[in-house]
Every structure is written in C-alpha cells, then in structure tokens.
Amino acid sequence: MLLSQSPSTIKVIREPFPYIIIDNLLDDDLAHQVEHEFPKLEEMPRHSPDYQLLDGWHSNPHDAALAHRPGLKRLFKLLESSEFRAQLGEVFGVEQPLFCDPEYQGAGLLAAKKGGVHKIHRDRNRHLTTHFYRRLTLLVYFNIGWQQGYGGELNLWDKKIRENVTLPPLFNRCVVFENTRHAFHSVSDVNLPEGMIRKAVNFYYYTEHPAPSERHTHVHDTEFFASPGEKLKFWRYVATTRFPLLLIDTAINRNEFASKFLQKSGIRSTSLRLAAAFFKATSPAKYQKLMRSGRWNLSQKPNPKLIQYWKDYNRA
C-alpha cells in the first residue's frame, strides 16, 4: 500500500471544499532525496509574467535539467501509479477511473522566494488538449525547518471568498483537494529569509467526464479573484492589463449562466476566432500569445489520438 494510512481511515474534510491532509506521505529517505534534488531557481523558468498575481518559478519534470534525477523520477512514478490513483479515487469516492497526464501539463515543481505571491484563483477545469476533467489537485511540500512567519501557507477559501482554512507547507506534507468551480485557493505572501526557497510539487488527476456535481459547469481556464478588501485594487489592475478582450472575458466568467450561454451558443469560440484573425493581421506577438493561451485551446476540439495515448499509458 502506497498511502501511509488505509484509504478507509483517511478523513475527507468537506469545508470549504473537499480536501485531505497526509503528513509523512513519502518514506523519509525519498522525501529528503527529493528535497536535495530540488532545482535551484536559476534552473527553473518563471511561472508567469503576471508577477502581481503569480510570482514564482515552475518546472516540468520532463525538463532536461531534471529528467535524470532519480528521486524526482521515483516521486512522479509513485504519483502516477495505478495503485496510488486507485487509492485516491477510493478516498474521494470518485466514480470513474483517475487518469494522469503523461506530459505533466501544468504539473511539476513549484518554487518561491521572499516576495513570492500566488493570489486567489481556481484552476482550469479541463485539460487543454484532451479536455478530460481536472478532478483532483495534489501538493507535496519539501520545506525543512518551516517556521511560523515565513508565509507561503496554502489557503482554501469558502464560496464567497470571505474566510479561509490555512495549511502550513510542512516538510513531507501532502494536501489533495477536489477541483470544483468553488475550489478557490491561494498561497500566503512568502516572507522567507534570504537564500531560502519554498519548495512544492503539484500534480493533477483527471476523469474522462466531469464529476456529477460539475457536469453543468462551463469550461474555464485558470481564473484569479480579488482578495477580501481588495476588489477595487484587483479590478483596476485587470482593467489596465487585460483591456479590452480579457477584461470582458474575466468579468463574464464570474457569471455561470452567462458563461454557459456563451459557450453553448458558440459566441465565445466565434469571438476568439475573430480575435485570432485580427491579431494575425495586426500583431503577430499577440496572435502567438492567443494561440498558446488556455482560452484558445479549451475552445478547440479535443485531440482523439492524445486521448487514446492517455488511455494506453494509464492502462500500462
């Protein structure tokens, strides 16, 4: 058994949305090996150019600098193993097989130093190319000697984004939560001593179809939300950095009815195609940025060859 506890004894905490905590997930030798092999910041690309919302570093396990580090390879093989997926499915009562992404899209190693931020957001709810539903988010922390006052805690927010549960990123602690339309989460601003970095691994599990409670939710990319008391500051920032197309889209995505209407009617995909044609003629840089965006890829048809590859990979 890979989990340190029997799945039947692991308690799923339901508020503010379903999650579990597993301390000492890995055996001590592997946990310390991963911490030792964790890349330096200069070996990792920046996570996002939008530093006011997300200021940190992120690496895919397939990156050349990481591909041959044995501890990291063991860790990700464990996380994607059929036994571990089955155990997580049992813990959360998932009614379908859980899949992992062989290419680790969006998954990998996360790092932040003093001043790092990851503001309140909900993750995209589909894979960009298979459109499988992102069902569970897993985080494992590798922070030796973490102390109160360092910041960097994981915050899970309620539906109205008023109150939150705070979870310190302790060494060898694992947190898994259900990815629902109300799974708002963030990281407290990082306040580490100079030279120390916050280390975490993130991993995603997918199902071919949405969870029963999410089957009517519109398809959405990662969306950021205002922190309590900062709505004016948030919308001022969005208005100045995302005007006009993304500002309108960000505002509409707050309304489930309007978002579903635009999706089902085809208006959203049509507007994206028109934007693509305009940018292609006027701004090659903006055109390429749109082609790489989650919004664009989620509006395209899923790739049937990749879906079959996923199924074969996860079956093996």
Side-chain angles (χ1 to χ4, degrees), residues 54-253:
L54 172 53
D55 188 358
W57 286 258
H58 177 268
S59 286
N60 185 295
H62 290 311
D63 290 352
L66 309 179
H68 301 294
R69 301 186 185 188
L72 291 175
K73 290 180 70 173
R74 282 181 60 201
L75 171 63
F76 283 95
K77 284 300 179 184
L78 182 153
L79 296 180
E80 69 179 25
S81 68
S82 59
E83 183 181 355
F84 192 71
R85 285 184 280 124
Q87 290 176 337
L88 286 181
E90 182 180 344
V91 169
F92 283 94
V94 178
E95 73 294 335
Q96 310 168 54
L98 287 172
F99 292 85
C100 63
D101 174 10
E103 303 304 318
Y104 304 140
Q105 183 186 96
L109 293 90
L110 302 167
K113 65 178 181 178
K114 185 174 183 176
V117 299
H118 202 162
K119 297 299 186 180
I120 299 173
H121 64 286
R122 64 179 178 185
D123 294 336
R124 71 170 62 103
N125 61 354
R126 299 292 195 282
H127 188 271
L128 292 180
T129 47
T130 63
H131 292 196
F132 275 29
Y133 183 80
R134 187 182 281 184
R135 193 65 177 271
L136 299 176
T137 297
L138 175 144
L139 296 156
V140 188
Y141 299 104
F142 296 93
N143 304 301
I144 296 175
W146 196 267
Q147 297 180 23
Q148 188 174 3
Y150 283 178
E153 296 90 356
L154 174 66
N155 301 304
L156 308 180
W157 294 86
D158 64 8
K159 291 180 181 180
K160 295 183 178 181
I161 313 183
R162 292 178 180 171
E163 298 182 354
N164 65 288
V165 173
T166 299
L167 305 175
L170 304 180
F171 180 72
N172 205 7
R173 166 171 282 181
C174 173
V175 178
V176 188
F177 61 82
E178 287 191 11
N179 188 44
T180 73
R181 63 185 179 276
H182 298 303
F184 303 116
H185 56 288
S186 65
V187 174
S188 300
D189 294 356
V190 179
N191 188 36
L192 287 167
E194 293 295 336
M196 186 175 179
I197 64 172
R198 179 185 187 270
K199 303 175 181 179
V201 162
N202 69 317
F203 201 80
Y204 302 111
Y205 299 93
Y206 300 83
T207 52
E208 188 167 5
H209 306 287
S213 61
E214 296 291 311
R215 63 183 183 275
H216 299 303
T217 303
H218 74 284
V219 177
H220 62 77
D221 199 8
T222 300
E223 298 283 347
F224 283 87
F225 293 78
S227 301
E230 294 187 355
K231 283 190 176 182
L232 182 60
K233 177 182 177 182
F234 174 82
W235 283 107
R236 186 186 295 122
Y237 174 74
V238 172
T240 56
T241 59
R242 302 186 180 189
F243 183 84
L245 183 64
L246 289 182
L247 171 60
I248 296 170
D249 198 49
T250 299
I252 290 174
N253 276 343

Side-chain angles (χ1 to χ4, degrees), residues 5 50 104 111 131 154 215 254 268 285 309 313-314:
Q5 309 170 51
D50 202 346
Y104 304 140
H131 292 196
L154 174 66
R215 63 183 183 275
R254 268 53 177 174
R268 170 163 281 160
Y309 170 56
Y313 182 90
N314 280 270

Side-chain angles (χ1 to χ4, degrees), residues 24-38 70-72 74-75 78 142 144 171-172:
N24 301 312
L25 172 73
L26 308 173
D27 69 69
D28 200 54
D29 289 343
L30 177 56
H32 280 90
Q33 185 177 9
V34 171
E35 192 279 333
H36 178 72
E37 293 178 2
F38 212 92
L72 291 175
R74 282 181 60 201
L75 171 63
L78 182 153
F142 296 93
I144 296 175
F171 180 72
N172 205 7

